[in-house]
Amino acid sequence: MGVLSVRSALVTGANRGIGLGFVQHLLALPNPPEVVFAACRDPKGQRAQELQKLASKHRSLVIVPLEVTDPASIKAAAASVGEHLKGSGLNLLINNAGIAKINSLDTETLKDMSEVYTTNTTAPLLLSQALLPLLKKAALGSPGSGLSCSKAAIVNISSIGGSIKEMYLWEAAQCVSYRCSKAALNMLTRCQSMGYREHGILCVTLHPGWVQTDMGSAGGFTPPVTVDASVAGMLKVLSSLSEKDTGTFLDWEGNVVAW
């Protein structure tokens, strides 16, 4: 496996957890992107302080306001990214923003099902649509005919919780809305891989591991994987992907996860 090399990348949910980890690791690559777009809901808020500190040290880091559940915000973010890129395309879109509700099968509600699905499944669809012209541009501007993350890619951060076969940690946390939204995100990734292959865009869905984040630790659990280990692993996996991998469901170590 090589080292990922991209000219531009956009990460959603970039103010904390895995999203912030992606931003930190992308900036620390031996050959870092010329521009990293860190998208989050409230760039000036308390929860984005780490991101603000990073931006003060790295001129290549551009913080983009984005509420992923708001189509107008998505449109504005895509326009802002396009302006910053000044005619070049976007190589890598990492749809990382996500939420979970710790509900059981008996306590799941219409409100929570709708909210979780909108954030975890519909938002990656709409953001990918909005950024498609920039992803296409990047693919067209890259040499070679194969697919790769260096050329143009959509990476959807999923979860083994969305694996219908595995039903991972069911006894510990049923989280029905979360599981359903991630299973649907996996299907979206397959659809994107079918629809965007002709445009030279690789699409993959990744399970980051059970990671030590606010979400991962909800319910009093202590997850086994650090953010650093997860993100470093995922970037290594992304560096090795090619045409044969588009539309697959992999974990942070590169193993295939059952649908």
Side-chain angles (χ1 to χ4, degrees):
M1 290 186 181
V3 177
L4 187 68
S5 177
V6 295
R7 285 186 63 194
S8 58
L10 186 150
V11 182
T12 67
N15 60 307
R16 60 197 181 120
I18 292 169
L20 181 62
F22 267 121
V23 172
Q24 291 167 329
H25 278 253
L26 285 166
L27 292 170
L29 286 171
N31 180 25
E34 289 172 20
V35 59
V36 175
F37 297 100
C40 67
R41 184 186 293 137
D42 183 12
K44 294 189 167 69
Q46 188 73 25
R47 285 180 155 184
Q49 284 187 342
E50 282 299 312
L51 200 52
Q52 292 163 21
K53 276 186 210 162
L54 267 182
S56 68
K57 294 176 192 164
H58 297 272
R59 290 181 62 186
S60 57
L61 177 57
V62 177
I63 302 178
V64 180
L66 174 64
E67 170 50 75
V68 295
T69 61
D70 178 6
S73 179
I74 288 174
K75 192 177 174 184
S80 171
V81 169
E83 282 171 30
H84 270 99
L85 288 170
K86 296 182 173 66
S88 63
L90 178 69
N91 298 109
L92 182 61
L93 166 60
I94 301 177
N95 282 313
N96 163 75
I99 59 170
K101 303 284 185 180
I102 314 296
N103 294 347
S104 71
L105 192 57
D106 295 338
T107 61
E108 199 56 81
T109 65
L110 170 62
K111 181 177 178 289
D112 285 351
M113 282 292 284
S114 301
E115 190 181 331
V116 172
Y117 190 89
T118 299
T119 302
N120 293 1
T121 313
T122 309
L125 166 70
L126 297 180
L127 189 59
S128 300
Q129 287 175 341
L131 293 169
L132 185 59
L134 294 172
L135 290 160
K136 283 182 182 177
K137 196 177 278 189
L140 279 171
S142 300
S145 58
L147 302 182
S148 75
C149 288
S150 303
K151 186 175 188 175
I154 297 170
V155 178
N156 293 323
I157 303 301
S158 183
S159 167
I160 197 171
S163 167
I164 293 168
K165 180 178 185 292
E166 295 296 335
M167 293 308 291
Y168 184 69
L169 292 176
W170 172 258
E171 302 302 330
Q174 294 185 1
C175 299
V176 174
S177 56
Y178 180 77
R179 290 178 187 275
C180 291
S181 73
K182 292 300 188 181
L185 179 64
N186 291 347
M187 175 53 96
L188 171 64
T189 308
R190 288 285 285 154
C191 294
Q192 289 174 326
S193 73
M194 302 292 282
Y196 297 157
R197 180 194 289 268
E198 64 180 294
H199 301 304
I201 301 167
L202 185 148
C203 303
V204 68
T205 185
L206 293 182
H207 163 53
W210 187 11
V211 185
Q212 294 167 16
T213 61
D214 291 346
M215 187 193 292
S217 306
F221 297 110
T222 304
V225 185
T226 64
V227 170
D228 264 353
S230 170
V231 171
M234 286 190 284
L235 288 177
K236 201 178 273 188
V237 170
L238 294 182
S239 73
S240 71
L241 298 182
S242 64
E243 193 138 353
K244 66 179 172 49
D245 302 299
T246 195
T248 55
F249 183 16
L250 305 171
D251 72 9
W252 62 289
E253 294 176 305
N255 304 304
V256 173
V257 183
W259 298 114

